[in-house]
């Protein structure tokens, strides 16, 4: 009954606006940087204290294209009562190149627990909240944020101007290329080992690139970016660091990048 009501409503709206266009996405291509990095404070903080950090880095990696697959569901069916159908789309993730990254973080510590928030730029603007703990030897935490990725997305497929659309209807080709901001959820965890003024850190950051066009959204594979970094606090305020970034799409696809940077603490 609910499905019939939904179909009836869609049909009425189509008639009201003099036709509906249905879309099937056959392929897509999207520029996909590494998931944004979120770090701890890399040093021991005194209880009931706070600090600010400004950081910048450069990421360098070879350009690489990965073949992936996405899926979606639509209502381009042969009859009003037919259930929605699942479709697949071939896609390509484009990694690599040189990027300049910058971020600002605030950290506040109670006794052991640490909270923080930050904003940054990495092929788009991102912001996040994090919670964890900080001791003289180790720190760790988790975070959640939004990544407003500035990227180029190419969509190819076919459209039909009647509804419902069957395989026998006249499907025309469709192609869209847009460079814009696409908002994605990202999340992950971080951990650091602290030895005097030295530190070793690990960060796992995950996001899913937005793929949509013609009123359809494709569920595409997640990107898992692993950051392994070492650094040294050369003074109370300045830190230098360098490391490796490994981005995985699935067990068969991985991309490597090098990263070097510096940070200033207040």
């Amino acid at each position: 009954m609910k499905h019939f009501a939904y179909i009836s409503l869609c049909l009425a709206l189509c008639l009201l606006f003099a036709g509906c266009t249905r879309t099937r996405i056959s392929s897509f291509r999207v520029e996909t940087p590494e998931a944004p990095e979120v770090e701890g404070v890399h040093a021991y903080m005194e209880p009931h204290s706070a600090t600010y950090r400004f950081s910048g880095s450069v990421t360098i990696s070879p350009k690489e294209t990965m073949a992936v697959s996405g899926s979606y569901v639509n209502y381009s069916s042969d009859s009003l009562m037919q259930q929605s159908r699942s479709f697949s789309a071939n896609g390509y993730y484009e990694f690599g190149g040189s990027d300049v990254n910058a971020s600002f973080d605030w950290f506040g510590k109670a006794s052991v627990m640490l909270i923080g928030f930050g904003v940054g730029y990495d092929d788009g603007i991102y912001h996040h909240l994090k919670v964890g703990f900080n001791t003289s030897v180790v720190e760790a935490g988790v975070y959640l944020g939004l990544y407003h990725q500035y990227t180029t997305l190419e969509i190819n497929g076919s459209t039909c101007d009647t509804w419902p659309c069957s395989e026998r209807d006249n499907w025309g080709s469709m192609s869209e290329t847009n460079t814009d901001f696409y908002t994605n959820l990202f999340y992950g965890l971080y951990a650091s080992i602290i030895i005097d003024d030295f530190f070793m850190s690990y960060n796992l950051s995950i996001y899913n690139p937005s793929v949509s066009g013609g009123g359809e959204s494709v569920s595409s594979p997640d990107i898992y970016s692993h950051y392994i970094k070492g650094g040294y606090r050369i003074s109370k305020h300045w830190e230098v660091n360098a490391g490796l970034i490994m981005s995985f799409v699935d067990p068969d696809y991985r991309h490597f990048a090098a990263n070097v940077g510096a940070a200033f603490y207040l």
Side-chain angles (χ1 to χ4, degrees), residues 180-245:
D180 205 347
F181 285 97
Y182 298 87
T183 299
N184 310 297
L185 182 73
F186 79 102
Y187 58 94
L189 56 87
Y190 67 87
S192 300
I193 297 174
I194 304 164
I195 304 174
D196 295 329
D197 293 325
F198 293 90
F199 72 88
M200 287 291 297
S201 68
Y202 168 75
N203 166 231
L204 170 62
S205 188
I206 306 167
Y207 84 106
N208 179 259
S210 294
V211 179
S212 60
E216 297 289 351
S217 295
V218 175
S219 177
S220 56
D222 290 336
I223 295 174
Y224 297 79
S225 294
H226 303 262
Y227 292 79
I228 300 174
K229 177 181 293 185
Y232 177 66
R233 187 72 68 91
I234 59 179
S235 70
K236 178 182 178 181
H237 298 292
W238 285 101
E239 168 196 301
V240 291
N241 54 70
L244 176 69
I245 310 170

Side-chain angles (χ1 to χ4, degrees), residues 69-212:
S69 180
S71 62
Y72 64 100
V73 173
N74 75 9
Y75 290 89
S76 302
S77 55
D78 293 336
S79 71
L80 293 177
M81 299 305 296
Q82 184 174 330
Q83 296 291 325
S84 59
R85 301 169 59 190
S86 296
F87 295 88
S88 61
N90 297 320
Y92 297 93
Y93 284 175
E94 295 185 344
F95 284 91
S98 300
D99 293 305
V100 176
N101 315 312
S103 63
F104 165 79
D105 291 272
W106 173 87
F107 300 91
K109 184 179 177 182
S111 55
V112 176
M113 297 300 297
L114 186 78
I115 61 171
F117 66 84
V119 296
Y121 177 84
D122 184 359
D123 283 311
I125 299 169
Y126 64 90
H127 45 91
H128 66 274
L129 295 172
K130 55 181 163 253
V131 60
F133 67 90
N134 173 269
T135 72
S136 61
V137 178
V138 66
E139 65 175 350
V142 296
Y143 59 87
L144 178 68
L146 291 177
Y147 182 24
H148 308 285
Q149 179 189 6
Y150 187 74
T151 188
T152 298
L153 172 63
E154 178 185 326
I155 294 288
N156 296 292
S158 55
T159 61
C160 178
D161 293 330
T162 62
W163 195 90
C165 292
S166 70
E167 302 295 342
R168 297 179 299 275
D169 287 314
N170 185 23
W171 289 80
S173 62
M174 177 272 287
S175 180
E176 294 181 3
T177 301
N178 296 302
T179 301
D180 205 347
F181 285 97
Y182 298 87
T183 299
N184 310 297
L185 182 73
F186 79 102
Y187 58 94
L189 56 87
Y190 67 87
S192 300
I193 297 174
I194 304 164
I195 304 174
D196 295 329
D197 293 325
F198 293 90
F199 72 88
M200 287 291 297
S201 68
Y202 168 75
N203 166 231
L204 170 62
S205 188
I206 306 167
Y207 84 106
N208 179 259
S210 294
V211 179
S212 60

